[in-house]
Amino acid sequence: MTEFSVDEKVQIAASFLLESPPGEVNDVFNDIRTLIGDDDALQSGILTSLEDHNTEQLITVALPESETEVIISKFGQLEGGRFADPRSKQSFAFDHMRLVASDLQPLEISDDVESLREAIDNQVQAYVSDHYPHGVTTVHASGSKVTIVIVDNKYNPSNYWNGRWRAVWEVEKGGSQLKGSAKVQVHYYEDGNVQLNSTKDFELDINSEHDEKKAASTIVKAIEKAEKEYQMAINENYTELSENTFKELRRALPYTRNKVDWHKIFNYKLGNSIVNK
């Protein structure tokens, strides 16, 4: 039997972390920690994978002395392991292991698209607050591009399921096209292990507006319409699966074409039991 080295075990463990379902990365980490049995090697070996997981899954963090949450993503990543919060115009250090923000510093902001970014941010916050119970949004600007990041998590481990919605939208200042991607991931694990992973890409034509408030309104309305249609399509698909597709996976009747009389079978079994005694 092949014996894996600690480094090989850590490499395998890192791949497990990247595939962790929403809200369950700590559970996965604790399980592989027990299997590897070397905390120092594990923590140093999986740090990069943990960083990739956190930025890809759009983990959120509250800044020190603030209840406002910021999304950890590649769009806000700075040098030296720091991240940007354009809304508060601050940067911060982020501990990927402990999921804690610290060391706030002023953030240098480019004026090129900042007013458009702020206008979009204000309207996206209202949209997310109205449509997502636990939604968080962070809006970034780079060059002439504005990137809107949205995430909503719903963790319900007492009922054996967790879920996450992620969406990223990009638009150029003065542009007439809005590009986006939305991802849904749900893990249901009561008496089994079922995952839903769904992704939808968007390319939407929008009216180019010179007024930034009007431009922001146009962009957010387009996002709202597209995300609503995507969510409705998911609901319709899984209603179809539940009501029709899954039922077709088993026979409505046995080969005899007659329904089983379970009450009669129970009486037969009871009668046999009495006779045998």
Side-chain angles (χ1 to χ4, degrees), residues 68-69 85-88 117-132 135-139 148-150 220:
T68 302
E69 290 188 288
D85 176 27
R87 189 176 301 150
S88 67
R117 189 208 65 78
E118 287 184 344
I120 293 174
D121 189 22
N122 289 334
Q123 298 215 25
V124 171
Q125 284 186 71
Y127 161 65
V128 169
S129 177
D130 189 44
H131 288 76
Y132 295 95
V136 179
T137 180
T138 302
V139 181
I148 303 156
V149 187
I150 300 170
V220 174

Side-chain angles (χ1 to χ4, degrees), residues 36 54 82 93 110 137-138 175 217 261:
I36 292 175
N54 291 340
R82 299 182 66 82
S110 172
T137 180
T138 302
S217 177
D261 189 338

Side-chain angles (χ1 to χ4, degrees), residues 29-42:
F29 177 81
N30 289 331
D31 288 341
I32 60 179
R33 180 183 183 187
T34 302
L35 293 173
I36 292 175
D38 188 330
D39 281 0
D40 291 338
L42 177 61

Side-chain angles (χ1 to χ4, degrees), residues 24 45 48 62 72 83 93 99 119-120 132 147 152 198 200 206 211 218 221 225 249:
E24 298 172 44
T48 299
I72 301 297
F83 288 84
L99 304 182
I120 293 174
Y132 295 95
T147 303
D152 191 12
S198 177
K200 173 73 173 178
I206 57 174
D211 182 88
T218 298
K221 284 180 180 178
K225 182 175 183 292
L249 296 177

Side-chain angles (χ1 to χ4, degrees), residues 60-93:
T60 63
V61 64
L63 299 186
E65 300 180 3
S66 172
E67 295 182 357
T68 302
E69 290 188 288
V70 182
I71 297 175
I72 301 297
S73 73
K74 64 182 181 180
F75 306 104
Q77 202 160 13
L78 306 172
E79 294 181 356
R82 299 182 66 82
F83 288 84
D85 176 27
R87 189 176 301 150
S88 67
K89 296 179 172 52
Q90 298 177 102
S91 72
F92 57 92

